[in-house]
């Protein structure tokens, strides 16, 4: 996914009232930050992360919660070499958002970011 594709996707979600404008803006900034850090314009298989993120942020705005991911999966992801860097990206999102996100949401983001980092190593600009 590239930035233009993300903006189109977010526009559709906003028009359908599935996400808020604030969540969309935060998601765009998070994507741009990740793209710069990876040195890539297109981020392979990032659709899940950048669909989950604005929906999660909108859910947080509304005071809604989500169940935590499966504990076994989370433990496996936490052992991945990319987990530490993934946590840095989550902290960046929290900074953009203006405060901490619920643990259940950060656990899902950890899974998504770790996967993205694993799939996009190398910074080849794709």
């Amino acid at each position: 996914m590239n930035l233009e594709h993300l903006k189109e996707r977010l526009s559709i979600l906003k028009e359908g009232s599935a996400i808020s404008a604030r969540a969309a803006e935060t998601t765009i900034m998070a994507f741009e930050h990740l793209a710069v850090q990876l040195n890539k314009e297109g981020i392979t298989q990032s659709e899940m992360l950048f669909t989950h993120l604005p929906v999660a942020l909108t859910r947080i705005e509304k005071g809604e919660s989500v169940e935590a991911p499966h504990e076994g999966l989370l433990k496996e992801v936490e052992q991945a070499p990319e987990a530490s860097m993934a946590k840095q990206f989550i902290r960046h999102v929290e900074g953009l958002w203006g405060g901490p996100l619920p643990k259940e949401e950060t656990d899902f983001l950890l899974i998504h970011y770790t996967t993205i980092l694993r799939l996009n190593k190398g910074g080849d600009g794709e």
Side-chain angles (χ1 to χ4, degrees):
M1 174 189 300
N2 62 30
L3 183 58
E4 206 53 45
H5 181 212
L6 174 63
K7 287 179 179 180
E8 290 171 16
R9 179 178 286 234
L10 294 174
S11 177
I12 292 167
L13 291 171
K14 275 194 316 188
E15 288 173 15
S17 300
I19 64 169
S20 70
R22 180 179 175 211
E25 291 168 13
T26 302
T27 300
I28 289 168
M29 290 186 287
F31 180 92
E32 290 172 333
H33 177 72
L34 180 60
V36 166
Q37 295 301 311
L38 291 174
N39 191 29
K40 289 182 164 231
E41 287 184 28
I43 303 173
T44 302
Q45 294 188 22
S46 61
E47 291 81 4
M48 287 286 289
L49 169 60
F50 291 108
T51 300
H52 177 90
L53 180 58
V55 171
L57 295 174
T58 300
R59 192 170 35 240
I60 292 164
E61 278 184 309
K62 293 179 178 180
E64 300 171 359
S65 61
V66 66
E67 287 187 35
H70 186 273
E71 190 175 320
L73 173 61
L74 187 58
K75 284 184 179 185
E76 181 181 328
V77 169
E78 288 174 336
Q79 300 303 314
E82 298 84 5
S84 177
M85 184 180 284
K87 289 176 183 177
Q88 292 175 22
F89 283 106
I90 294 166
R91 284 192 293 277
H92 180 76
V93 170
E94 289 177 322
L96 294 171
W97 188 247
L101 305 178
K103 181 173 179 358
E104 295 82 4
E105 298 290 3
T106 60
D107 287 347
F108 276 110
L109 291 175
L110 179 63
I111 293 167
H112 289 302
Y113 268 112
T114 300
T115 301
I116 296 306
L117 292 170
R118 183 179 304 130
L119 293 171
N120 288 275
K121 287 182 180 173
D124 57 11
E126 286 180 13

